[in-house]
Amino acid sequence: MVHDAPVPRSLAWVTAAIMAVLVSAGAAARAADEFVNGDEATVRRLPAVPVSAVGDVERVDVTLAGDVAATRIQARLRLGADERSPTTDVLLFLPRGARAAACFLCLNFRGNQAQHPDPGIHPARGWIPDDAAARITGNRATEASRGTLAHRWPVETMLGRGYCMATASCGDTFPDRPDTGELPADKPGAIATWAWQLSRILDWLVTLPEIDDTKVAVVGHSRLGGAALCAGALDERFAMVVSKEAGQETELPCDQHTLLALNAPRRLYVAGAIGDTIGRHDLLPSDWEQIADHADRHLRGLSPPESDGYPAFDPVQAPLPVAPPPGAVVLIGGDAATTAGMAFTSMAGGAIDWRGEQDELVVVPSGHNTNHLVSKQLFRDADIHVEFMVSPQAKGNSGLYLHGHYEMQIYDSFGVKPVTEQDEGSLYRFAKPIVNAALPAGEWQVYDIRFIAPRRDAAGAIIRPGRVTAWLNGRMVQNGLTFTEPRSPYVPYRRGVTDHLRAIERRLLATGEGPLFLQDHGSPTRYRNVWIKPLGRP
C-alpha cells in the first residue's frame, strides 16, 4: 500500500521559513541528503512523497515485563517512489486488542533495539554514534545495546495507560554524525529532515485500524525535541507536540517563540530541567507520566490516574559513592562496623556479627542462609539506596528484603541471557528485570528503589497492591511493578524465624511499617553507603 500525504496547504507559507531556520550548520549525511532533497537546487525542500512498506509488516503478540499483553509491529517503510529512496524501520507496540487508540511517536538516537530489551526487535542497520553507556561500538548496533535506553521509552507503563508507542532511528534519514561540512543555506539539515521523517511515518500510522488518526502525539528530546516542534509546525495532523530540553533561545538562529507559536492551535507541551547538564540531560519515566497525564486530559478527555503524591523518582547513580540526600537515615556509612552496629540487629534482636572493613560491611555466612541483618529503622513507603559488590562465591547470592516480605535480588548475573526471576534486578518470585544491568563480580554496584507498601484493612487483607520501581547501575530494572502477598518461601518470617521477627511482623501487619533486611545467602557480599529516606503519608 502506498500513502501520499502532502503538507497542508494552510501551512505552505511557513515551510520555507522553517527550512531556512533549521538548516544544519554542521554535518550533512551526503547520501541521505541526496535521497531526500534531490540533486537540483530547485528541489531543495522536504517533499511529501509516497510511503510504502518494504516486504511484509511483522505482527507478533508478546507478553512484556509485568505481564503486559502487547502486539509488536515492525515495518520497513520506503519514503519515496523509487528504490533509491531512503527507508526507515518503524517499531510499534500496541496494547493487545487495541482499536483506534492514541499513539506517541518519537525518534531515537541509538536504534530501536536500545529502546526496549525485547529480543525480537530488529537492530538498527545504519551508522550510530559510538556510546559506551548504550554499548554502541564501531558505529553499529550491538546485541549488548539491547534495552540500554529502555528508561527513555517506558512501553509497559504507557501501554498500561492505553497508549500505543512508535519509534524509529533518526539515523535512518540523516545520520547523527559530527562531520564538519556545511550545507547550502537553502538545504534542510538534520532537524528538518527528522521532522520530515516523522511526518512520513505518520502517513503510515494513520492507515492502521489500531491507531486513532486524530490522536497521534509527536514527542522529542534534545535535538529530537526540535524535530518534534518542526514536525508539529509543518504537519497539522499531529494532535499534540511534546518537546523536552530542546535547547536555549540563544543557541538557535531564530526566535524560538515563533517556532512554538507555529504549533498552534494544537496542544504543545514543552519541558526543561533544573540543572540540565550532560549526565542528567535525559528523557525519564517520570517525564512520560507527566506527558501521558497531559494527553489524558487534552487528547482523550480523561482524568489521569491518581498520583501517590511523592516527588518524581529519578535517582542519580554516578559517581559512586552517592551522598545521602537531606532526610535520609544512614544505615551503613563512614565506619561501617560502627554505623551498622547501631542501625541493625541480628535475626534474634541482638548484636550483629558481619565483618566491618573501613566503610564496607561484609556478610558473614551462617551456613544456613539465616544470618540476615534487620534494620532498626522502620518505614512504610521509602526510597532506598544500597551500594554493594558481589563475590563469585556462592554465585554472589544476597538480596534486599523490603519489609522482610519482598526481595530485590542480588546475584552474580553479569552477561546472563535470558534473565529470570533469579537474576539481579528481579523482584524475586514476582518479575524478572526489564533489562540485565548487572556488573561483573568485584565491581561496585548500586540499587535505588522506591518502595510503596501495600495497604491493608483492619483484618490484614491487602486492599491496594504495593509498587516497586528500581534502578540498578543507571538502568531501570523495575517500573511501577505491583505486588500483593509475598510469594517466596524463604522470607525471614518463614525461615529462621525468631520471637524478635514475629513481633516485627505483627507490627508490620498492624501499621504497614517494617524494616529493611540485608540477606545472608552464603556469599560474602560487600555493602557500603546504605540509606533509607522515608516518604510521607499521602
Side-chain angles (χ1 to χ4, degrees):
M1 183 178 294
V2 176
H3 322 290
D4 190 350
V7 174
R9 184 179 301 274
S10 61
L11 286 179
W13 69 272
V14 304
T15 303
I18 292 183
M19 294 305 100
V21 162
L22 295 173
V23 292
S24 170
R30 302 301 181 201
D33 178 61
E34 292 300 332
F35 279 138
V36 174
N37 302 300
D39 298 327
E40 301 298 328
T42 56
V43 196
R44 289 179 179 177
R45 58 185 180 84
L46 292 176
V49 296
V51 175
S52 57
V54 179
D56 293 334
V57 174
E58 177 188 288
R59 289 173 173 263
V60 181
D61 286 343
V62 292
T63 300
L64 304 178
D67 296 326
V68 174
T71 299
R72 184 190 69 226
I73 298 178
Q74 296 186 90
R76 179 166 296 170
L77 304 181
R78 177 171 286 121
L79 313 182
D82 61 63
E83 293 186 357
R84 293 182 64 250
S85 302
T87 60
T88 186
D89 291 334
V90 180
L91 170 64
L92 172 64
F93 280 103
L94 313 167
R96 194 178 301 170
R99 301 291 293 183
C103 181
F104 291 120
L105 167 61
C106 64
L107 298 181
N108 63 73
F109 284 115
R110 301 296 183 259
N112 295 347
Q113 83 292 331
Q115 297 296 100
H116 194 277
D118 182 345
I121 296 173
H122 304 315
R125 297 168 294 122
W127 189 97
I128 304 175
D130 280 348
D131 185 333
R135 301 180 187 176
I136 302 293
T137 59
N139 301 120
R140 289 293 183 267
T142 66
E143 271 301 306
S145 69
R146 197 172 290 281
T148 50
L149 298 175
H151 67 275
R152 291 184 177 176
W153 205 54
V155 169
E156 290 83 356
T157 301
M158 294 297 102
L159 265 58
R161 294 187 60 164
Y163 291 94
C164 306
M165 296 285 281
T167 192
S169 172
C170 65
D172 288 347
T173 59
F174 201 115
D176 186 27
R177 57 192 308 161
D179 296 344
T180 56
E182 292 189 5
L183 289 172
D186 60 345
K187 270 199 171 183
I191 290 176
T193 303
W194 295 336
W196 176 83
Q197 180 184 358
L198 287 162
S199 283
R200 303 291 70 80
I201 295 171
L202 181 62
D203 293 344
W204 174 75
L205 283 177
V206 298
T207 69
L208 303 179
E210 296 93 344
I211 304 295
D212 185 337
D213 61 2
T214 69
K215 293 181 173 60
V216 178
V218 61
V219 179
H221 172 254
S222 193
R223 283 166 298 134
L224 295 178
L229 290 170
C230 183
L234 290 170
D235 195 332
E236 293 174 320
R237 295 173 299 166
F238 286 114
M240 176 173 151
V241 179
V242 179
S243 175
K244 188 192 177 205
E245 298 173 340
Q248 299 176 350
E249 185 174 329
T250 57
E251 296 172 348
L252 285 179
C254 71
D255 182 352
Q256 189 165 252
H257 301 98
T258 302
L259 181 57
L260 300 180
L262 287 170
N263 283 275
R266 275 79 45 73
R267 284 285 169 178
L268 176 62
Y269 182 103
V270 178
I274 297 173
D276 174 18
T277 60
I278 298 300
R280 294 306 296 166
H281 182 74
D282 211 346
L283 184 62
L284 299 165
S286 58
D287 296 316
W288 279 99
E289 292 283 7
Q290 295 295 322
I291 292 165
D293 286 353
H294 191 80
D296 278 355
R297 293 186 185 97
H298 301 296
L299 284 190
R300 303 169 71 196
L302 301 176
S303 295
E306 184 178 350
S307 168
D308 60 21
Y310 297 137
F313 184 58
D314 301 321
V316 175
Q317 295 198 301
L320 298 180
V322 176
V329 177
V330 176
L331 306 183
I332 301 177
D335 183 333
T338 300
T339 56
M342 294 187 294
F344 291 97
T345 71
S346 68
M347 294 274 280
I352 66 173
D353 65 354
W354 287 17
R355 187 174 71 253
E357 295 181 2
Q358 298 181 345
D359 63 345
E360 303 171 17
L361 196 69
V362 186
V363 176
V364 175
S366 64
H368 304 286
N369 299 338
T370 56
N371 190 22
H372 313 317
L373 301 193
V374 188
S375 73
K376 296 178 183 178
Q377 175 70 39
L378 303 181
F379 57 90
R380 187 180 70 163
D381 304 338
D383 292 341
I384 301 164
H385 177 95
V386 177
E387 297 176 22
F388 63 95
M389 180 189 293
V390 301
S391 162
Q393 183 177 329
K395 299 182 179 179
N397 206 341
S398 187
L400 310 173
Y401 280 124
L402 311 172
H403 279 189
H405 278 163
Y406 311 100
E407 181 187 356
M408 288 301 306
Q409 182 75 300
I410 291 176
Y411 204 75
D412 186 7
S413 299
F414 178 71
V416 169
K417 295 179 181 178
V419 289
T420 70
E421 292 174 8
Q422 172 69 36
D423 288 300
E424 193 166 284
S426 69
L427 187 65
Y428 187 63
R429 296 291 179 104
F430 282 93
K432 65 185 180 181
I434 295 171
V435 63
N436 188 348
L439 299 180
E443 294 188 20
W444 281 105
Q445 306 188 59
V446 56
Y447 257 129
D448 279 284
I449 301 163
R450 172 159 289 180
F451 176 76
I452 308 297
R455 303 308 196 243
R456 298 177 182 270
D457 62 17
I462 291 178
I463 56 175
R464 192 170 81 194
R467 296 194 314 281
V468 66
T469 296
W471 291 73
L472 174 65
N473 303 323
R475 299 169 74 182
M476 178 176 278
V477 291
Q478 300 294 340
N479 185 13
L481 176 71
T482 58
F483 53 85
T484 52
E485 295 291 355
R487 297 178 181 174
S488 171
Y490 307 115
V491 299
Y493 306 121
R494 297 178 183 173
R495 185 182 179 92
V497 67
T498 65
D499 288 342
H500 178 59
L501 295 189
R502 292 188 184 96
I504 288 175
E505 188 176 34
R506 285 195 297 270
R507 175 170 177 172
L508 169 62
L509 296 176
T511 67
E513 295 183 340
L516 172 68
F517 289 71
L518 305 185
Q519 184 195 54
D520 157 34
H521 205 126
S523 183
T525 303
R526 294 176 175 268
Y527 289 92
R528 72 176 188 192
N529 195 28
V530 176
W531 40 263
I532 295 172
K533 184 175 181 179
L535 299 172
R537 304 182 68 88

